Each structure stands twice: as structure tokens, then as C-alpha cells.
Amino acid sequence: MRRFVFPASLLLVVATAAAAAETSFGPHPDLSKPAQHWFPTVNVAPARGWAKGAMPKPAKGFAVNAFARGLDHPRWLYVLPNGDVLVAESNTPEEPIKGIKDWITRMVMARAGAGVKSPNRIILLRDTNGDGIADKQSVFISGLYSPFGMVLVGGTLYVADTDAVVTFPYHEGDTSITAKPKNLVDLPAGDIDYHWTKNVVASPDGSKLYVSVGSDSNVGDNGMENEKDRAAIWEVDRATGKHRIYASGLRNPVGMDYQPQSGALWVSVNERDEIGNDLPPDYMTQVRENGFYGWPYSYWGQHVDDRAKPQRPDLVAKAIAPDYALGAHTASLGLTFYDGTLFPQHYRGGAFVGQHGSWNRSEYAGYKVIFVPFANGRPSGGPEDILTGFLSDDGDAQGRPVGVTVAKDGALLVADDVGNAVWRVTPQK
């Protein structure tokens, strides 16, 4: 397993101690004591891409094929009512480097495959003959600004750029949109924009949008005055653009979806760094209106993070513990509930999670797609691997899964931003 070691002049080393047994999954994860060090752990799986003909490994009873290859850093997916698949090709917006820590972070991300220039566009994929392979591909919208989330309500397509939710007219069957975007609501961005991905989903009745906005630092490092309206999920009135904070204390909320049985909105959240290999776990949780989930003052409910300044015991006292841990530093980005009928009954109503993979843990974590079963609207079992093999035997990243969604035919689609592909998972025939 290869590890990237920075020059000593950067005062950064790579931890090589073996990781503790992974116990940070489920509703009641074991939480180790915080372990702060002078030098953060950096262990990057170098991005290599897939060799010709290679692909991820599906779980027993399933098959995988490339729905599309040759994409340019595909991050997020959205399925239109006619079955067309939209792919946000996107990356970190180009911004000035703010100090040595920012420079180091960008070096690490480039090594991990995130150093490419943002394509700033949405691609449309269409499978015209139903063989499970997109045979038609077109640039759907170009000239965006680090786009990520997408949702269609009626005849309007909403796109979450890093700095705004913008709208476009859509007619069924369109393969491209040339209309200029209209701004619905500005989003926090700026020169740092530490967590740049912004996601958007619509309420079941279509009257509201829910927009995820990540923090601008790890634990408020740049001052809480710079975290205004961040680390939160916004509720936006679709007609007027007026917004309010719906839930807060969520360091980096990304994937959002409605659980089919309960109708509740759930979110996947990436937790903070630099307090240990196994602490704290990333998680998914039901989003409670006006709920506070701890960041930056505490994690997993009321476990205080002493690094947050000033301390806020009043907020810690009301911090909500998440519903389900997804492993420490797994970078659990994608989240979709299975509402199709192609997969066996076991998968109905459960959650698929795209784990982009760790870069700051002594032993790699994530780099796969997992499934969490649900019963009666709640998690009902441990995580199950559904798509693996993104890491090579020698520790290179052949791919990194991000967005996950359910195709119109019930297949699972997975965006792979290092492999530049969209994978399609189906039951084995």
C-alpha cells in the first residue's frame, strides 16, 4: 500500500500505525477518545483510473456494467421523468490560495484526483434501446459555476451552483438547454468556500426546496462570523426565493433524499477531521425541523470538541445525536433510498450510500458503495457492501464513488469521479 509523504519542510507526516478495528457504524457507534497530534494524518490513495476493461466488483447476486464512460469528473446524478440521466461534471471552483494549509490541502486533493479544472456543466445521458448503456450523450447545460445538486419541479429545472440556486426551463425530451439561468437564491461561497458542494431537493408537494450548505472550515477555524448560514440545510420558498435555516450544526451535509415509508427527509453528513482515525464517524440522519446537530461545538450529540472557540454549552445541551454512523472519514457523499422494484424485497426502502473514501486516516476507509437496510422507516441492520474494488491491491484509487441514484428501470447508478464513469448495478440474471 503506497502512501504519499510530504516534504519535512511542510511539517506534515503520514501516520503509519495500524487502525483500530472499525466500530463506527450503526445507531450506537463506539466513540474513542479524541487524539490530537501536532501533525495531521495524511494518507492519500493516488488516483489512477481504471485499466481498459476493468470495473468495480458488485456484491454476490449482482452485476455491474458501465452505463457511460469517458466523462469529465462526474460528481452528481439526477434522473428525469423520461429516464434521461443528468450528470453534473464539476469540481472545486477556482479560487486564490489562502495560506500554506490551503496549499497543502489542494496538493492532497490533486493527488486524490480532485485537482482537475471544473468542467462546470451538466451532461445528459440517454439509453435509447434499453440495453443498460447510454448510447446518446450531449452537453445539457454549460457555463455553470461548480454545479452539483439538480431537481426538476414541473417545467423548471433547479441547479445548485456553489454560489446560487439557478433555474432553467425544461421540456420533456430536451437534450440541451441554451436559455440563460435565472437566479432564485444566493448561497454562501466566497474566497474560501471550504465545502463547495451544494445539493438541492424539492419537498413532496413541490412548494419548497431544501438546499445543503457545508461549513467554511473544519471546526470554525476561520471564525464563526465566517460561518453565517453555513453548516446547515436551508428551506427555500420555490416561488419567491425567501429562505430560512431548516436545520443546523451539520458540518458538511451532502446527499439528501426522502425515505419512502416514513416520508422523512434524510441527509448524509461528513464530520470533522484531526481528532483520530476513528473519530468522529460520518453519518446519515433524519432531518428534524429546527434541529441542531452539534457542529462545531460537539459531535455525535453532546461530545464536546474543545477546539471550537468560543465554547457554547447552551448549544451543546440541545445537540441531537445522529441516527446512523457511516464510519469515520469515509466521506459518505451519495445517499439515495431504493424506491424501485428491480432489486429483491430486502432492498426496498433501504439506503445506498456512496463513500468517496478517506484521505486523512492511517488505513483507508470507504471507497465503496454500501447498503443500509430499513424497516418501518428506520435503519434495521448493519452496512452491506454493494460495490467495491475501487481501490487496487497496491492502494491506488481506480475510481471513487460519489453520487448514487435509482434509474427509471430500477437499476442503481453510481457516479465515479476518478474513473470518469457512471456504473450501473442490477440483479444478476
Side-chain angles (χ1 to χ4, degrees):
M1 184 179 293
R2 290 184 282 176
R3 291 182 170 85
F4 176 42
V5 183
F6 287 100
S9 61
L10 296 182
L11 299 179
L12 197 61
V13 297
V14 175
T16 57
E22 182 59 81
T23 56
S24 53
F25 282 85
H28 305 291
D30 293 335
L31 300 177
S32 58
K33 291 184 180 180
Q36 296 185 41
H37 304 283
W38 282 104
F39 310 121
T41 299
V42 178
N43 183 22
V44 182
R48 185 173 77 186
W50 298 96
K52 185 176 181 180
M55 62 182 63
K57 300 174 183 177
K60 184 177 180 180
F62 288 89
V64 64
N65 71 274
F67 183 70
R69 287 186 183 265
L71 298 169
D72 189 358
H73 214 252
R75 296 281 291 183
W76 211 243
L77 304 171
Y78 184 75
V79 178
L80 293 168
N82 69 345
D84 288 346
V85 178
L86 300 183
V87 184
E89 293 185 324
S90 190
N91 202 3
T92 308
E94 292 188 51
E95 295 167 346
I97 294 175
K98 300 290 185 177
I100 190 168
K101 186 173 182 180
D102 187 22
W103 180 67
I104 292 171
T105 299
R106 295 194 191 192
M107 285 182 63
V108 172
M109 294 299 99
R111 178 100 173 158
V116 301
K117 183 177 180 180
S118 181
N120 289 334
R121 64 185 184 181
I122 295 172
I123 297 295
L124 181 140
L125 303 176
R126 179 176 292 174
D127 176 6
T128 62
N129 59 9
D131 65 352
I133 300 172
D135 52 286
K136 187 170 184 177
Q137 177 176 319
S138 60
V139 176
F140 191 61
I141 304 173
S142 60
L144 297 165
Y145 186 45
S146 293
F148 198 76
M150 302 159 281
V151 67
L152 179 69
V153 184
T156 302
L157 179 69
Y158 297 83
V159 177
D161 276 355
T162 194
D163 63 348
V165 175
V166 295
T167 72
F168 298 88
Y170 169 77
H171 304 91
E172 185 169 331
D174 282 352
T175 57
S176 66
I177 293 177
T178 57
K180 292 185 178 180
K182 292 184 178 180
N183 189 301
L184 177 67
V185 61
D186 290 331
L187 301 174
D191 289 342
I192 301 176
D193 211 12
Y194 188 77
H195 291 120
W196 62 272
T197 57
K198 310 297 198 300
N199 195 14
V200 59
V201 298
S203 62
D205 67 0
S207 65
K208 300 288 193 298
L209 300 177
Y210 294 94
V211 181
S212 63
V213 181
S215 68
D216 209 20
S217 64
N218 184 30
V219 281
D221 314 72
N222 303 315
M224 292 307 293
E225 68 275 9
N226 292 312
E227 300 292 350
K228 179 177 171 54
D229 295 331
R230 301 194 70 132
I233 293 174
W234 291 21
E235 182 183 74
V236 180
D237 184 85
R238 193 171 66 86
T240 66
K242 292 182 178 179
H243 69 275
R244 68 181 180 106
I245 300 298
Y246 186 78
S248 60
L250 301 155
R251 178 178 175 271
N252 187 25
V254 185
M256 293 186 290
D257 198 9
Y258 291 93
Q259 205 284 326
Q261 281 74 43
S262 68
L265 178 64
W266 283 65
V267 64
S268 60
V269 178
N270 287 190
E271 257 290 3
R272 64 204 74 195
D273 301 325
E274 299 178 24
I275 52 174
N277 278 321
D278 300 299
L279 194 71
D282 293 344
Y283 61 84
M284 63 179 179
T285 194
Q286 181 175 324
V287 182
R288 302 187 194 180
E289 184 175 3
N290 299 317
F292 176 72
Y293 292 84
W295 188 89
Y297 308 106
S298 64
Y299 55 88
W300 202 265
Q302 298 172 10
H303 293 77
V304 173
D305 191 333
D306 293 330
R307 299 173 298 171
K309 305 296 181 185
Q311 291 283 294
R312 289 291 304 272
D314 56 323
L315 291 178
V316 172
K318 67 177 186 178
I320 300 169
D323 289 295
Y324 195 95
L326 293 169
H329 310 303
T330 55
S332 295
L333 301 178
L335 172 67
T336 192
F337 286 102
Y338 192 74
D339 58 359
T341 58
L342 183 64
F343 283 29
Q345 182 64 39
H346 171 70
Y347 297 92
R348 312 286 170 81
F352 288 102
V353 179
Q355 298 191 316
H356 199 222
S358 62
W359 59 271
N360 52 355
R361 193 172 184 273
S362 61
E363 297 295 325
Y364 298 137
Y367 294 95
K368 58 185 176 181
V369 178
I370 64 170
F371 172 77
V372 178
F374 271 60
N376 301 315
R378 304 293 303 171
S380 61
E384 305 168 13
D385 290 351
I386 194 72
L387 197 62
T388 58
F390 289 91
L391 283 179
S392 67
D393 292 341
D394 56 1
D396 286 349
Q398 301 176 115
R400 299 187 77 181
V402 193
V404 291
T405 195
V406 180
K408 188 176 182 179
D409 66 358
L412 177 70
L413 300 178
V414 179
D416 175 355
D417 68 355
V418 164
N420 289 323
V422 174
W423 305 108
R424 178 175 178 267
V425 181
T426 55
Q428 198 168 39
K429 294 181 180 179

